[in-house]
Amino acid sequence: MAFPGSRYARLLWRHLPILLAGVLSGYFVGTNKTEIRRALQDVDYSQFNHTTESTLPVRAAIVALVRNSDLFGLRQAMRQIEDRFNSRYNYPYIFVNDVPFTDEFKQGVSYLTKAHVEFGTLDHDSWRVPEWIDQERYEQVKRTARYPHGEKDSYRKMCRFQSGYLHRHPLLKDLEYYWRIEPDVEYFCDIDYDPFMFMKQSGFKYGWNIAMPEFMDTIRTLWNTTQQFIREYPEYLAKHNLKEWLVDSSGNYNGCHFWSNFEIVDLSFYRSPAYQAYFDYLDRAGGFFYERWGDAPVHSIAAALFLNASQVHYFDDIGYFHPHVYTCPTGSRQRGRCVCDPDQSIVQNGFCNVRFRNTKHQILYPDSPTAAYTGPVNHARPQVASD
């Protein structure tokens, strides 16, 4: 795989072990031709548009958990968000940190946008190791973990916070939707419609862009704990859920999850009794610390089980780069509003992505004789790796 520009080459080299394990170690099966049959008809996105002079149609914000040291990477991400989308809409930004932001940070990000920017800090309860965690057991886990960030308190606190507390931060209390961003990400395509408006008017609760398998050693008991939760609270399972996307032929979790570094979410989902009960159940089980449960699989499993398939949307039109993976819309050369090469982007045909599209298609169109996608599938799966 090669990314355009020398900076991508440096990032690729830097993260080569994870890339090789998570993407290139797979193999390809299927037909020699790629044939895509979309589960939904092409959408006229122009109807989800408005001018900056109008009142924003959705109470929404662009949100990130960041550190003061992330200033340069966040400025890079904001510059692209502004150029590609937000300079036309001026949705506010909300940044939160476990320590107060410096004046340098505040000024550095505020210079890049005309939109309102708010800064917040985290309370003690949302950024801590809970008192029910066995400290001796936890310290042993950190000493022996052989997966990325296995020795870090801060990473586990971050995963717990993103899973159960970010949407409850006071700065987000009046929002209907949020778009989560991170430092050092890039957006390759002009977004000439309002994704918040699109989500709201279409009835979507969760929007995603990349799906990949998880490092299974970080979530050894997550699926068993989830099954226990469902047995105790079966009323929370959605009728037309996406459970089949999550499991293999034996009913075990296959590791598929949406990368939550890009997600656009109707916050009523995270505030729902189902999601809050699920998070509390996981939190008490201790897996955020005894293992390294990430917010991405937690969000993904919850969306797949507690939402109907029709409420989960794949933003396949948004070109996106996170320092491990690169996705570029199919046909973007013809559309001409992206600066990426779809031939160098293989996650669209990754196992988790294809499985989602086919599972959703089957649920929405149970009588359809064809799958949403019938081309070759990349079955790559991350292996255990040291950070």
Side-chain angles (χ1 to χ4, degrees), residues 68-368:
N68 287 305
S69 59
D70 292 322
L71 176 57
F72 178 79
L74 185 64
R75 279 172 56 85
Q76 173 182 281
M78 284 183 66
R79 179 72 277 161
Q80 297 210 8
I81 287 284
E82 287 294 304
D83 290 346
R84 296 299 191 180
F85 165 70
N86 203 44
S87 62
R88 297 186 295 278
Y89 298 100
N90 288 325
Y91 278 101
Y93 291 88
I94 296 175
F95 300 127
V96 295
N97 191 350
D98 63 313
V99 299
F101 285 107
T102 64
D103 290 340
E104 178 189 15
F105 185 97
K106 293 179 180 179
Q107 293 170 1
V109 297
S110 299
Y111 285 150
L112 292 175
T113 181
K114 295 182 294 184
H116 181 62
V117 184
E118 292 192 87
F119 303 92
T121 53
L122 315 183
D123 62 29
H124 172 71
D125 187 59
S126 65
W127 194 263
R128 66 186 177 108
V129 179
E131 63 276 4
W132 57 82
I133 297 299
D134 183 327
Q135 287 293 329
E136 184 175 346
R137 177 183 172 188
Y138 176 40
E139 292 300 323
Q140 174 68 15
V141 167
K142 289 192 293 181
R143 286 194 298 270
T144 58
R146 294 294 180 268
Y147 43 75
H149 311 294
E151 78 286 2
K152 295 180 181 178
D153 283 324
S154 60
Y155 195 88
R156 288 175 168 84
K157 290 177 181 178
M158 179 272 292
C159 291
R160 179 176 181 258
F161 175 80
Q162 301 270 33
S163 295
Y165 289 93
L166 177 58
H167 59 276
R168 292 190 279 176
H169 192 279
L171 292 179
L172 278 67
K173 65 182 178 63
D174 294 325
L175 297 184
E176 297 175 278
Y177 287 80
Y178 87 166
W179 179 341
R180 181 171 151 190
I181 65 170
E182 289 193 356
D184 301 311
V185 299
E186 299 195 33
Y187 292 84
F188 296 128
C189 305
D190 286 349
I191 304 170
D192 52 6
Y193 65 98
D194 184 342
F196 294 123
M197 186 176 176
F198 167 68
M199 292 275 291
K200 184 173 184 178
Q201 294 189 5
S202 302
F204 294 129
K205 299 290 186 181
Y206 191 92
W208 61 279
N209 181 256
I210 290 175
M212 293 283 285
E214 179 61 293
F215 288 93
M216 298 305 286
D217 274 5
T218 68
I219 52 168
R220 290 191 308 274
T221 64
L222 176 58
W223 185 242
N224 287 340
T225 307
T226 298
Q227 290 179 304
Q228 292 169 10
F229 174 80
I230 292 300
R231 284 193 290 269
E232 294 183 33
Y233 301 95
E235 66 273 18
Y236 290 142
L237 204 62
K239 182 178 181 180
H240 300 293
N241 64 70
L242 286 158
K243 181 181 177 180
E244 288 304 308
W245 174 61
L246 298 172
V247 298
D248 60 23
S249 58
S250 300
N252 298 315
Y253 182 37
N254 58 27
C256 286
H257 66 293
F258 309 125
W259 272 25
S260 54
N261 47 71
F262 174 100
E263 62 178 15
I264 302 177
V265 185
D266 179 342
L267 292 174
S268 67
F269 168 51
Y270 288 158
R271 295 167 180 149
S272 68
Y275 184 85
Q276 195 55 56
Y278 179 57
F279 169 75
D280 290 342
Y281 196 92
L282 297 183
D283 199 24
R284 280 286 173 178
F288 291 108
F289 298 94
Y290 298 141
E291 296 172 23
R292 202 217 64 193
W293 293 352
D295 54 282
V298 170
H299 287 178
S300 304
I301 291 172
L305 296 180
F306 308 143
L307 297 177
N308 290 309
S310 61
Q311 296 174 301
V312 182
H313 178 66
Y314 168 36
F315 279 101
D316 62 344
D317 60 312
I318 296 180
Y320 178 68
F321 172 76
H322 183 277
H324 300 318
V325 172
Y326 164 106
T327 181
C328 185
T330 302
S332 58
R333 286 173 174 167
Q334 290 75 27
R335 288 200 287 262
R337 303 188 69 84
C338 300
V339 288
C340 55
D341 183 355
D343 291 340
Q344 300 298 328
S345 170
I346 65 172
V347 296
Q348 285 93 333
N349 297 343
F351 169 75
C352 293
N353 190 313
V354 171
R355 187 172 180 85
F356 171 86
R357 286 142 66 190
N358 286 340
T359 301
K360 181 175 179 178
H361 183 83
Q362 184 179 23
I363 293 170
L364 295 183
Y365 307 103
D367 297 326
S368 174

